Structures are given as structure tokens and as C-alpha cells.
Amino acid sequence: MMTPTHLLVLDLETRPDSALLPADRDPAAFPKPIQHEIVTLGFLLARIERDGQGERYTVRKLGAASIADRSERELLAGFWQMIDKQKPRLVTWNGRGFDVAVLKQRSLIHGLTAPQWHRTDPRYGYDYRYQVNWHCDLMDVLSDNGASPRLSLDEAARALGLPGKWNGHGADVAEQAQAGDFAAINRYCEGDVLNTFVLYLRWACFSTRMTAHGHNATVQNLLDYLERERGERPHVGEFVDRWQASDRPCPLFVNEPIGEPGPQPPEAHLRSEDVV
């Protein structure tokens, strides 16, 4: 059976597709997935590596692509090509309820195919809700598939000491796109991707997919990557600064049990209040 080789954290920003909205629709009603035009596709791609009995992740790229640079069809085709090439575990927040539904339904409009997505075992592959190896929808997982109230991304992120939605809101995307401010949309989308990635790391540690050392090593790798990007992308530096300034009980690193292999995170990034 195939196993994922990469982790792909995904977030979409969309706007209503006026050509598909019914004339008599309630203006306050949220459009259905097929009625959403993709504006920006944000992602973080990381390589999955073994770390003792668990996994660790090495960040390869954080990015966002928008309709300012390519058509919606090209954004969709690029996403499915990434699935085909990297064979990733997809990580989303409400991806089953929205993002992946938009990707699938908008792909029907453009006549696209998704070979690798449908090559996985249908019982345990991307489309199987109760298996997180190929698609982990964190919002669904953390609510026990709807048994408990669902958290918003901002609620979950802020509870753990992450910045949350500090640099925008989805309700502003349509107006920003109309004004041509796609750079602001991309920055906001990348922020959501970073929040989702770190939330996944904490869940992966809690669920024993990662060891504490694997979690801390991955967090350090992410911090190092974002520091290198800070000069050209100040918003990722602001994400780090807000995250490190948090007074939550365990915002960055978790305690590594005595005897667990691997070094502690460097002192430059480690404060006593960061460790429980």
C-alpha cells in the first residue's frame, strides 16, 4: 500500500462566482462550494521523515498562488499535479466541508482530472473521512467528526498561543480581489496555512504520530525557515514574533521526556515559559 511522502497544508481564499449564483438567493446565505471562484491557493509543503518511532517534517516551501498571476484552471491543475508528484498527506481546516469540495467541484467546471487522488485505496484514501493518513481535516478530527462543537481556526490557534487571524479575514477577500490587492490576500492565506501547520504538529504529537522530539525539531525547522524568509516576506516574521511573544502555557515547544533521543531546541528560541 502506498504511503504519503510529503505533508501538504492547504488553504483556499475564494469569492462568490456571480455567474453561478441564483437570482433569488438570500444575500446573507453562504454560497455552495461550486459557486465559489478560487482567488488564492495557499500551501506549505514539507517532507515526511522518520524520527525514531514517529515522524518529523522538513519544510520545503510556503507559498500562495493567486488569479493575479494565473487562471483558476491553472491553479486547480497545479494543485492536482502537486498531488500526483508529491503523493502528500493533505492537511486542512474544514477541508472536507469546504476547501476540498471547492477544488473538486470547480475542477468539474474546467474538465480536469485527479489521477493520484483516486489511486489511493478508496477505503482509506483521500476521500475516507475516518482515516487521517491521506487527508487530515483538523477541524473534523478535533470535534470527533462532529460529536463535539467545531472550533474555528482562529479559536484553536489563539488557544495554543498562535497569532490566529491577525492579518486579515475571509470576509474581506472579495473586496480585496475587486480592488486588485492580491498581495494582501496571499499574506492572509499564508497566515492561515501557518496556523494550520502548527496546530497539526501539536495534534500529531498528542496522537503519537510524532514524538516530542520530532515535534520540537519540526517547530525549530519551521522557525529557521521563517527567519530566512523574514526579509522578503515581513508578514512571516510578524507571525514568528507574535507566536514567540505568547503567554500561553506551551506556545512553541513541548517537554521531551528523559531518555527521548535528540537535542533540545536551541536557547535562542527557547524560553522557560515555552516548555511544560
Side-chain angles (χ1 to χ4, degrees):
M1 183 179 294
M2 292 184 297
T3 58
T5 59
H6 285 76
L7 200 72
L8 179 62
V9 185
L10 172 77
D11 184 65
L12 297 182
E13 303 305 331
T14 67
R15 63 182 175 185
D17 185 342
S18 57
L20 296 180
L21 297 177
D24 60 348
R25 70 180 285 266
D26 179 358
F30 192 67
K32 296 178 180 179
I34 203 169
Q35 298 167 341
H36 281 262
E37 178 189 14
I38 297 173
V39 173
T40 290
L41 189 154
F43 67 94
L44 182 147
L45 182 67
R47 187 169 53 253
I48 299 175
E49 300 173 343
R50 298 306 304 173
D51 184 79
Q53 297 300 309
E55 297 179 347
R56 63 183 288 181
Y57 313 116
T58 300
V59 177
R60 292 184 56 187
K61 185 174 183 180
L62 168 72
S66 78
I67 56 172
D69 304 310
R70 60 199 73 182
S71 68
E72 183 188 50
R73 187 185 194 282
E74 290 172 325
L75 291 177
L76 287 162
F79 171 77
W80 298 121
Q81 288 166 8
M82 189 180 298
I83 294 292
D84 288 346
K85 181 179 180 181
Q86 305 297 348
K87 301 177 178 59
R89 176 184 306 139
L90 187 67
V91 177
T92 63
W93 190 274
N94 193 30
R96 293 192 184 279
F98 183 72
D99 301 76
V100 172
V102 171
L103 289 166
K104 291 179 176 180
Q105 294 175 25
R106 297 297 292 191
S107 292
L108 298 181
I109 293 173
H110 294 287
L112 297 171
T113 59
Q116 177 62 30
W117 186 275
H118 295 103
R119 285 193 187 115
T120 55
D121 183 345
R123 184 70 171 85
Y124 299 107
Y126 285 111
D127 288 327
Y128 185 57
R129 182 179 185 182
Y130 304 106
Q131 169 58 259
V132 297
N133 191 46
W134 287 99
H135 179 192
C136 179
D137 180 342
L138 274 173
M139 189 183 82
D140 210 26
V141 168
L142 293 177
S143 72
D144 282 331
N145 306 114
S148 65
R150 289 181 169 88
L151 295 165
S152 71
L153 176 60
D154 191 58
E155 289 171 333
R158 290 183 181 275
L160 268 66
L162 289 160
K165 292 181 179 287
W166 92 97
N167 66 340
H169 196 280
D172 301 328
V173 167
E175 184 176 340
Q176 289 171 322
Q178 181 66 29
D181 194 359
F182 292 99
I185 299 172
N186 290 353
R187 291 193 297 269
Y188 163 63
C189 191
E190 289 183 358
D192 276 2
V193 168
L194 287 170
N195 282 299
T196 302
F197 179 52
V198 180
L199 285 166
Y200 177 80
L201 298 183
R202 188 59 57 85
W203 173 82
C205 182
F206 170 72
S207 64
T208 71
R209 185 178 289 276
M210 307 179 82
T211 64
H213 171 254
H215 171 278
N216 290 347
T218 302
V219 168
Q220 188 61 59
N221 174 263
L222 174 65
L223 289 170
D224 292 342
Y225 176 89
L226 297 179
E227 285 296 335
R228 292 194 298 270
E229 295 290 310
R230 180 191 288 267
E232 294 187 4
R233 294 195 281 179
H235 63 287
V236 302
E238 186 178 357
F239 180 92
V240 170
D241 293 342
R242 288 173 175 268
W243 184 17
Q244 291 182 321
S246 171
D247 61 0
R248 299 299 296 157
C250 183
L252 277 84
F253 301 107
V254 299
N255 187 54
E256 296 187 24
I258 296 174
E260 189 168 291
Q264 292 286 338
E267 293 182 0
H269 295 287
L270 183 62
R271 306 170 302 173
S272 59
E273 60 266 35
D274 291 335
V275 179
V276 297

